[in-house]
Amino acid sequence: MSKNKLRSGIAGVGMYVPDKTVTNAELEKIVETSDEWIQSRTGIKERHIASTEQAASDLGVIAAKQALANAKISPSEVDLIIVATATSDMQFPSTACIIQAALGLNDVPAFDVTAGCAGFIYGLSIGSQFIENGTYENVLVIGTEVLSKITNWTDRETCVLLADGAGAVVLRPALPGYGLLALRLGADGSGGKHLLMPAGGSRMPVTSEAIEKNLNTLHMNGHEVFKFAMKKLPEAVEQVLMAAQIDKNEVALVIPHQANRRIIEAAARNLEMPIEKFMINLDRYGNTSSASIPIALYEALENYLIKPGDNIVLVGFGAGLTWGAVAMRWGM
Ligand code: ACO
């Protein structure tokens, strides 16, 4: 690790969740489930659900504006926009381009990243390269999802998990010794069949038959995804810490993708780290896919769980199957 290497740091964070909350008790009225089952099997108590008018870009723009304000950067200073999402407004143009226009940033490059719930880590990793090689100074990375619009509300195994929200960060060159220290990304495409939306692409366009069979909604093999997450989450943390040459004891906070409390608790046990070192806010937000890590980061900062000089790890896993982790020393 070169001491003089230019690194990217997070200069500002923003988040947005829709006003409407849906409790487990409300889900009991829709599918055969119970508050007790959902809380004990997932840790989720409630989640935010978008209005019928809200699309991923609408949530993302609000989170982005807050991240820019926190970074004390005007939108006109943004050099690049990267959006991680599995629920883009439409197939094309990209949600990043829609957000670019909404921010009034004509000519600024913008593109989407599709890496499921690891999307934000992928986006952060890509954005960092542009900072570190000196191409750009201010990169906006957004994770935004309206999963409620691809949820099969008759499938009790998935509808109790999925939720809506957005988080955003502004990446800038960091002071020496701070910022992104190491990253690790991975994918296992052979596991793609365990978490997918079958219809809506060129393989299976949306037809009335596809709609009838709910193929334009999220399908998940919960057991397989669970097993995959249990293995990859601790592995990715261990690998990125090794690459950053940081001991587990020197980590102030791990911010994992918020899928299931049991997955996070198992990772803590596996890594022999105290659960208090893992940020968990899925009880109030459910699984917001690529938005969950920046939302959790925002709340960790709001609650003074991170201070300058702290080593933190961000780690995601999801559809693809994909995973990724980033180790950072907080501060600019
Ligand atoms: N309410 C009540 N009962 C339920 C519910 C529900 N909501 N969902 C499933 N059950 C039942 C099952 O039908 C099963 O009943 P059976 O024993 O009669 O067959 C029983 O509960 C146990 O089911 P399991 O699947 O064994 O439950 P498990 O403890 O594994 O939990 C869960 C299921 C929560 C889905 C878990 O497998 C999980 O968290 N998987 C990973 C999910 C994930 O992280 N997905 C990725 C994110 S999605 C995305 O990418 C946006």
Side-chain angles (χ1 to χ4, degrees):
M1 211 172 21
S2 157
K3 281 207 170 98
N4 300 321
K5 186 180 175 224
L6 178 63
R7 296 205 175 93
S8 64
I10 293 179
V13 188
M15 68 164 275
Y16 171 76
V17 287
D19 295 337
K20 184 181 171 190
T21 55
V22 174
T23 62
N24 292 345
E26 289 170 86
L27 290 177
E28 286 176 2
K29 295 178 196 150
I30 304 174
V31 286
E32 201 183 323
T33 190
S34 67
D35 176 45
E36 196 282 319
W37 192 95
I38 302 170
Q39 282 206 48
S40 64
R41 306 311 290 163
T42 72
I44 300 168
K45 293 180 183 162
E46 61 180 24
R47 69 287 289 145
H48 291 255
I49 299 294
S51 67
T52 45
E53 295 79 32
Q54 282 177 312
S57 68
D58 301 317
L59 278 57
V61 165
I62 301 173
K65 283 183 176 167
Q66 191 182 26
L68 290 168
N70 282 346
K72 299 188 172 54
I73 301 238
S74 82
S76 63
E77 291 173 272
V78 171
D79 299 310
L80 169 68
I81 301 172
I82 301 173
V83 173
T85 185
T87 48
S88 48
D89 286 25
M90 50 190 94
Q91 283 273 359
F92 56 87
S94 69
T95 300
C97 283
I98 296 169
I99 290 177
Q100 186 242 43
L103 292 173
L105 299 179
N106 293 342
D107 290 350
V108 169
F111 61 88
D112 286 1
V113 173
T114 306
C117 305
F120 181 75
I121 301 295
Y122 269 65
L124 200 66
S125 304
I126 298 165
S128 293
Q129 308 307 309
F130 287 101
I131 304 272
E132 290 176 10
N133 66 24
T135 306
Y136 296 131
E137 282 230 324
N138 298 308
V139 176
L140 191 52
V141 182
I142 304 165
T144 183
E145 302 286 2
V146 184
L147 292 168
S148 61
K149 302 235 180 140
I150 61 159
T151 298
N152 174 356
W153 289 99
T154 64
D155 175 13
R156 67 178 180 174
E157 201 182 336
T158 53
C159 79
V160 301
L161 307 174
L162 307 174
D164 304 335
V169 300
V170 177
L171 291 176
R172 283 184 53 72
L175 287 174
Y178 293 92
L180 198 151
L181 304 173
L183 64 90
R184 283 292 177 272
L185 301 176
D188 173 9
S190 70
K193 56 184 179 284
H194 298 312
L195 187 49
L196 75 166
M197 189 169 91
S202 56
R203 175 74 57 197
M204 190 190 296
V206 179
T207 57
S208 46
E209 193 194 343
I211 294 172
E212 218 167 276
K213 292 180 176 161
N214 274 315
L215 297 174
N216 57 333
T217 62
L218 183 144
H219 287 241
M220 180 182 74
N221 179 338
H223 278 296
E224 288 299 327
V225 178
F226 196 82
K227 270 191 330 206
F228 152 76
M230 297 276 274
K231 182 169 182 289
K232 284 299 172 193
L233 199 168
E235 241 176 54
V237 172
E238 230 152 31
Q239 287 170 3
V240 84
L241 287 177
M242 197 179 289
Q245 297 172 18
I246 294 173
D247 189 82
K248 277 184 280 195
N249 300 323
E250 298 170 324
V251 174
L253 195 66
V254 178
I255 302 185
H257 166 50
Q258 305 287 308
N260 186 319
R261 191 180 173 95
R262 286 189 294 145
I263 294 172
I264 300 173
E265 284 171 346
R269 278 197 302 276
N270 191 316
L271 288 160
E272 297 179 345
M273 289 173 73
I275 188 69
E276 293 72 31
K277 285 203 173 180
F278 287 72
M279 178 68 194
I280 302 179
N281 65 358
L282 57 83
D283 51 324
R284 286 169 293 123
Y285 297 112
N287 182 344
T288 57
S289 191
S290 64
S292 83
I293 294 172
I295 289 175
L297 174 62
Y298 180 91
E299 288 211 329
L301 290 165
E302 283 285 291
N303 292 305
Y304 305 104
L305 300 178
I306 303 172
K307 58 182 189 313
D310 276 351
N311 295 314
I312 66 165
V313 176
L314 312 179
V315 56
F317 52 87
L321 299 169
T322 55
W323 60 93
V326 160
M328 307 189 75
R329 185 156 304 128
W330 193 256
M332 290 297 291

